[in-house]
Amino acid sequence: MEERKVLYSAIQPTNNLTIGNLIGAIKNWTNLQNDYDCFFAIANMHAITVRQVPADLRQKTLSMLALYLACGIDPEKCTMYVQSHVPAHAELCWVLNSFTYVGEMERMTQFKDKSARHAENINMGLMDYPVLMAADILLYQTDVVPVGLDQRQHVEIARDIAQRFNNIYTPTFKIPEALYMKVGAKINDLLDPSKKMSKSAENPNGSIFLSDDRDTIIRKFKRAVTDSGSEVKFDPENKAGVSNLLTIYSVFTGKTIAEAEADFAGKGYGDFKLAVGEAVADKLAPIQKEQEKLLADKSYLEGVLRSGAERAAHTANKTLAKVYKKIGFYQL
Ligand code: ATP
Ligand code: LTN
């Protein structure tokens, strides 16, 4: 049997996830799990680059796993695990640090954004974030990395670091490719459609959280920014708000953008926003219910994480051993 290609992705267990995370990342994963050998991590080591409340981080780690499962990721097919349970991530990160330039890290958009937002805590971890992410990806000899568009620069730098290492020694790492959704690779804030919807946005009314109840979802969509026109038409340049809502509607109903536009021909923005809210609420309800059910069974969740960490470590340690050998670490 031909070996399957490897797919790797992760999400930080910080805050509550938004429909941006669901559409840009998790939905893509569920579609691809049958075609690839998949690894899905819960990136708690990335999470601490911004101050976290320990009890929350612990709780969000488990609820993130429950969400992966509730969204339909199958633990029989995919390896799901917590990043800190596989020490090879920190170990490879340390090696790759010596193959990464400070200047490259200073230029990273996310580093600049987060430094501005957390000016009181611009720590080394924040700066090193992309190197740890490169270690995540490269440990598994990953072919594809399905992420939202905001992660493009990080996948690029992982490729650069891998290539640099391969050139200095001999081919060691597979060079990964980022993979984006055709529709929904960037979902924008409902109140400021020029910004991406973020789980740590200042105003929570611009984001739809996966934990929001039906009334909250509908209320937030009702208040979403549109424009002064009245036509429901996909035109990201001139109608950023409406286009963002159309994208969300299309993803949540499985309709194409053109079909979505047709649904609202001759209708006003009020009807349109209500319909988008209802479509999202309808789809999120069963996921929320399933997640809650799973969270009640802690021993099952821990079992998934235990076997996930074991499988992940097995693959990761093979790559790490190769790296240690090439760079000249004495082996016993
Ligand atoms: P934060 O806002 O706290 O920095 P985030 O919302 O960007 O976090 P991450 O954990 O950084 O969430 O990202 C998880 C995944 O979700 C990544 O693949 C990212 O590209 C994707 N993603 C995040 N926001 C969006 C969005 N608005 N549209 C599409 N994909 C997104
Ligand atoms: N930085 C990513 C989360 C992440 C990730 C990864 C994504 C950590 N390690 C490896 C893909 C591959 C984010 O989405 N903020």
Side-chain angles (χ1 to χ4, degrees), residues 32-65:
L32 296 165
Q33 63 179 333
N34 294 318
D35 305 326
Y36 291 86
D37 192 4
C38 295
F39 292 87
F40 298 119
I42 299 168
N44 60 345
M45 291 163 68
H46 279 103
I48 61 161
T49 58
V50 170
R51 226 35 102 218
Q52 303 295 332
V53 176
D56 288 355
L57 181 59
R58 220 178 336 263
Q59 189 271 329
K60 294 235 151 65
T61 302
L62 217 51
S63 84
M64 177 80 80
L65 174 69

Side-chain angles (χ1 to χ4, degrees), residues 64-261:
M64 177 80 80
L65 174 69
L67 182 75
Y68 286 1
L69 295 164
C71 289
I73 298 170
D74 181 349
E76 301 292 323
K77 293 184 193 146
C78 307
T79 303
M80 287 175 266
Y81 70 99
V82 177
Q83 191 182 27
S84 67
H85 292 172
V86 180
H89 290 254
E91 294 171 296
L92 182 62
C93 177
W94 180 253
V95 173
L96 297 182
N97 274 333
S98 296
F99 296 84
T100 308
Y101 300 106
V102 172
E104 289 177 307
M105 296 298 101
E106 282 170 339
R107 284 195 294 276
M108 291 279 129
T109 312
Q110 184 186 284
F111 173 66
K112 289 193 277 187
D113 282 356
K114 289 201 176 168
S115 300
R117 270 195 281 150
H118 305 275
E120 73 304 334
N121 181 22
I122 306 176
N123 60 67
M124 286 302 296
L126 197 59
M127 194 174 188
D128 208 25
Y129 185 114
V131 184
L132 179 59
M133 182 159 157
D136 294 345
I137 298 169
L138 300 178
L139 276 174
Y140 298 89
Q141 304 294 345
T142 301
D143 294 281
V144 295
V145 185
V147 281
L149 270 174
D150 59 305
Q151 295 298 316
R152 168 178 269 166
Q153 212 181 19
H154 290 158
V155 178
E156 271 311 305
I157 202 79
R159 289 165 58 90
D160 292 348
I161 296 171
Q163 234 133 20
R164 193 172 296 156
F165 191 98
N166 287 352
N167 288 341
I168 297 176
Y169 302 96
T170 48
T172 309
F173 299 120
K174 178 83 73 59
I175 308 298
E177 304 251 1
L179 193 69
Y180 310 107
M181 287 295 263
K182 279 198 198 73
V183 177
K186 183 164 178 264
I187 299 297
N188 293 323
D189 191 278
L190 299 185
L191 298 178
D192 179 359
S194 69
K195 284 196 320 212
K196 82 155 186 166
M197 185 182 287
S198 162
K199 50 184 151 85
S200 48
E202 257 161 59
N203 187 343
N205 289 319
S207 301
I208 302 291
F209 296 99
L210 301 185
S211 54
D212 282 346
D213 62 30
R214 189 177 185 88
D215 289 349
T216 308
I217 294 172
I218 290 177
R219 175 176 53 78
K220 284 182 179 176
F221 275 109
K222 269 192 190 153
R223 290 198 199 153
V225 168
T226 39
D227 56 66
S228 54
S230 61
E231 212 189 344
V232 178
K233 208 169 137 271
F234 191 76
D235 177 0
E237 294 269 306
N238 304 306
K239 288 172 161 277
V242 171
S243 304
N244 189 42
L245 295 178
L246 271 171
T247 302
I248 295 172
Y249 181 81
S250 140
V251 175
F252 275 88
T253 56
K255 296 184 182 181
T256 63
I257 296 282
E259 286 165 346
E261 282 175 338

